[in-house]
Amino acid sequence: MKETRKGMLLVISGPSGAGKGTLVSRLLDQDPSFRFSVSVTTRRKRDNEIEDVHYHFISEAEYDKLLGEDAFIEHATVHGHRYGTLKSEVYARMEQGQNVLLDIDPQGARAVMEKEPSCVSVFILPPSYHELKVRLHTRNTEREEEISRRLQNARGEIEQMGRYRYLVVNDNLELAFDQLMAIVRAEKQNSVRYFPVVEE
Ligand code: 5GP
């Protein structure tokens, strides 16, 4: 059967420590129809990160220039650093039928949901606030003060979960990943982006 598809814009968000990073990299590993939208950020590169793969690491001045050029679909300050999703990472690919994945914070997710109502938004939840705290501590990448701030932010973000089309609780990684893939499989058949041609 002949068919055409429009690309899916998959927006994955959640509080830090919910485990969205792991789910996102698994999805990208297992489903080659998705391209990761590489954001720009003004924060410093971490040792394990690769330029232009994880982020485009840019200066404050470069960021301001992009803002002036209206290059972003959304942009936000997250934990004291600036991040932005480039239009050039998203729209051309979607028109070619490619699926695009955004891993962005809840402020950014909200902006994209408003601009692109047919996007597929998924919010990743931790099983409990206690577990979130444990995960932020074991990750050991932030100081105590920063952890408290992130936990506080998480409460506000979780209160807004009803804005997303789908919710996934990441208690058990296998189960959470299965649920995420079920969402993706179903949304690939959504009539807003899937156009099979029934021939004579
Ligand atoms: P990290 O600096 O630890 O990689 O990411 C911090 C937070 O910023 C994460 O929640 C991540 O999803 C979010 N983030 C990454 N890129 C973007 C972006 O382009 N826009 C927004 N709004 N958030 C982003």
Side-chain angles (χ1 to χ4, degrees):
M1 181 185 263
K2 278 190 199 151
E3 56 180 50
T4 53
R5 286 176 192 271
K6 265 200 241 160
M8 177 191 325
L9 182 58
L10 177 62
V11 181
I12 301 190
S13 197
S16 46
K20 98 188 122 111
T22 315
L23 290 167
V24 163
S25 36
R26 264 216 202 182
L27 192 152
L28 292 169
D29 276 353
Q30 294 198 12
D31 187 337
S33 75
F34 277 92
R35 292 289 299 270
F36 180 64
S37 160
V38 180
S39 294
V40 301
T41 181
T42 59
R43 85 154 160 73
R44 294 262 290 275
K45 189 172 93 57
R46 298 179 186 132
D47 287 344
N48 61 341
E49 287 176 329
I50 304 166
E51 168 76 48
D52 299 332
V53 171
H54 295 101
Y55 285 103
H56 303 295
F57 295 94
I58 61 171
S59 66
E60 296 287 341
E62 287 169 314
Y63 189 98
D64 287 334
K65 185 164 177 275
L66 288 169
L67 260 184
E69 292 167 356
D70 194 24
F72 297 134
I73 300 176
E74 64 73 37
H75 57 92
T77 299
V78 187
H79 313 310
H81 301 287
R82 298 201 286 173
Y83 296 82
T85 303
L86 291 167
K87 290 178 182 168
S88 57
E89 290 276 331
V90 175
Y91 292 128
R93 289 175 181 167
M94 282 175 67
E95 266 150 40
Q96 290 160 12
Q98 246 172 21
N99 299 320
V100 177
L101 169 56
L102 306 186
D103 168 353
I104 58 177
D105 91 305
Q107 307 165 70
R110 192 170 161 179
V112 175
M113 287 187 263
E114 276 166 20
K115 258 193 191 163
E116 302 295 336
S118 64
C119 77
V120 178
S121 55
V122 181
F123 189 68
I124 312 294
L125 287 150
S128 66
Y129 288 107
H130 172 76
E131 177 63 23
L132 192 64
K133 194 171 174 179
V134 170
R135 287 184 195 169
L136 286 173
H137 276 107
T138 5
R139 205 158 74 168
N140 209 15
T141 47
E142 289 89 23
R143 279 203 279 238
E144 200 55 41
E145 232 172 84
E146 182 58 28
I147 291 181
S148 307
R149 201 154 67 96
R150 291 191 183 198
L151 282 168
Q152 198 51 45
N153 284 346
R155 287 190 184 265
E157 292 164 2
I158 288 169
E159 275 169 22
Q160 310 270 312
M161 66 172 123
R163 294 180 183 277
Y164 294 78
R165 190 176 295 176
Y166 296 101
L167 303 174
V168 169
V169 176
N170 185 12
D171 190 0
N172 169 312
L173 182 64
E174 297 308 321
L175 185 60
F177 186 66
D178 242 32
Q179 291 172 344
L180 180 61
M181 292 312 281
I183 294 164
V184 165
R185 266 198 301 278
E187 286 288 352
K188 281 183 180 177
Q189 307 309 117
N190 191 316
S191 60
V192 296
R193 62 182 67 85
Y194 178 47
F195 311 101
V197 179
V198 181
E199 286 169 298
E200 283 312 320

